[in-house]
Amino acid sequence: MTKLEAKNIVKYFSHDSHKLKALGGVNLKVESGDFVCLIGPSGCGKSTLLSMLSGVETPSNGELTLGRQDIRSLSANHLALQRAVMAQSASTPFGFIADELLHLARYQHIESLEQKSRLINLVAEQFDITHLLARNIQTLSGGERQRIFLAKAVLQILPSDQNESLEGKLLLLDEPSSALDLRHQKLVMQQLVTLREKGLCIVCVSHDLNLISPYCDRLILLGEKRCLADGPPARVLTTDMLSRCYHTQLNLIKNEQKQVFVTH
């Protein structure tokens, strides 16, 4: 089932009475159970595209549908139950306790306090943040905060019944592992794969090609204000395509599983 579709998406920004094109003619289709990563150099439009896919930002031209409905026609309440977003610089200006933030993620759900607490404790354990729940969010390290906000995004769209499928749900993540140490990078990727196996559709942005490529199904390479390549990591990560996009010479290494890794 097609969960998310973008047709001929164009985005302009205004600057000194001029229009600057950020993206032009992007097309993509994401199904339930897909794990897709947007890659490309800084400033190529990855976060802008993710923001439009979430419904937060409106494209200048083109069509965006979520579950075959125009995303602009969906109410905030409906979107909150269908898709969750983790921003690149997720933060809070207030000294919330971590557990309070996770409870806020369940605001739209009609459920008992027991159900809510059980889900929060489950997700906290999965993302190794149980020991952080009583902490002030502003006292945590960057990596600890990142796991809290990732757990919050996941909790927003999880059904109260843990046996219920995640098909039809969408998780949008902007650089979800940028502040994580090696152990937690692996843990987070493994948890995202587990969620995908339950039907969740995941679209993320990442600069860490070597971390993300073994776990995702597809890479979408953005550059030159458009989509340059879309497909399995081994097909997208070629020396010609990466050198063209990143404007530097890069080398590739393949392991026994034919996974591709990028080196200088």
Side-chain angles (χ1 to χ4, degrees), residues 207-249:
H207 281 293
D208 195 337
L209 307 184
N210 292 333
L211 172 65
I212 200 73
S213 60
Y215 295 96
C216 67
D217 308 302
R218 284 165 57 200
L219 295 177
I220 296 177
L221 178 62
L222 298 180
E224 302 171 9
K225 307 188 188 308
R226 59 192 179 93
C227 174
L228 293 178
D230 180 354
R235 197 171 76 203
V236 173
L237 299 178
T238 66
T239 52
D240 288 345
M241 186 57 69
L242 292 177
S243 297
R244 170 185 172 183
C245 187
Y246 289 95
H247 304 289
T248 188
Q249 187 60 44

Side-chain angles (χ1 to χ4, degrees), residues 113-183:
L113 183 59
E114 181 183 357
Q115 285 177 307
K116 185 178 302 189
S117 297
R118 185 171 61 248
L119 266 182
I120 289 173
N121 290 333
L122 174 65
V123 173
E125 182 178 352
Q126 291 171 341
F127 288 98
D128 190 30
I129 56 173
T130 302
H131 61 294
L132 303 175
L133 294 183
R135 293 273 301 276
N136 183 318
I137 191 72
Q138 294 183 336
T139 69
L140 300 181
S141 72
E144 290 171 334
R145 282 198 304 271
Q146 201 163 49
R147 300 203 310 280
I148 294 288
F149 282 104
L150 178 55
K152 180 176 180 287
V154 170
L155 278 165
Q156 180 183 320
I157 52 176
L158 280 184
S160 299
D161 182 354
Q162 296 174 32
N163 296 317
E164 190 176 330
S165 170
L166 291 174
E167 286 193 15
K169 306 288 187 179
L170 174 65
L171 184 62
L172 301 168
L173 308 171
D174 198 346
E175 293 281 358
S177 60
S178 59
L180 301 183
D181 58 44
L182 292 175
R183 179 169 76 90

Side-chain angles (χ1 to χ4, degrees), residues 98-107 113 116-117 120 155:
D99 187 57
E100 294 173 337
L101 276 177
L102 299 187
H103 273 80
L104 287 173
R106 303 299 296 173
Y107 174 76
L113 183 59
K116 185 178 302 189
S117 297
I120 289 173
L155 278 165

Side-chain angles (χ1 to χ4, degrees), residues 65-85:
T65 55
L66 183 63
R68 298 182 180 177
Q69 292 180 280
D70 187 330
I71 198 168
R72 291 169 294 187
S73 71
L74 301 177
S75 68
N77 286 344
H78 180 86
L79 280 174
L81 290 171
Q82 295 301 312
R83 67 96 181 93
V85 184

Side-chain angles (χ1 to χ4, degrees), residues 2-59:
T2 300
K3 180 58 190 170
L4 181 67
E5 186 169 8
K7 294 181 179 180
N8 198 31
I9 293 299
V10 178
K11 182 65 178 179
Y12 290 98
F13 290 111
S14 296
H15 178 69
D16 292 337
S17 74
H18 296 289
K19 281 187 176 181
L20 298 177
K21 182 184 283 188
L23 286 169
V26 173
N27 296 280
L28 66 89
K29 185 183 293 187
V30 186
E31 314 283 342
S32 291
D34 281 353
F35 188 173
V36 179
C37 185
L38 307 177
I39 62 172
S42 298
C44 70
K46 301 183 299 296
S47 295
T48 297
L49 178 57
L50 196 76
S51 182
M52 290 189 288
L53 296 178
S54 73
V56 172
E57 202 162 328
T58 303

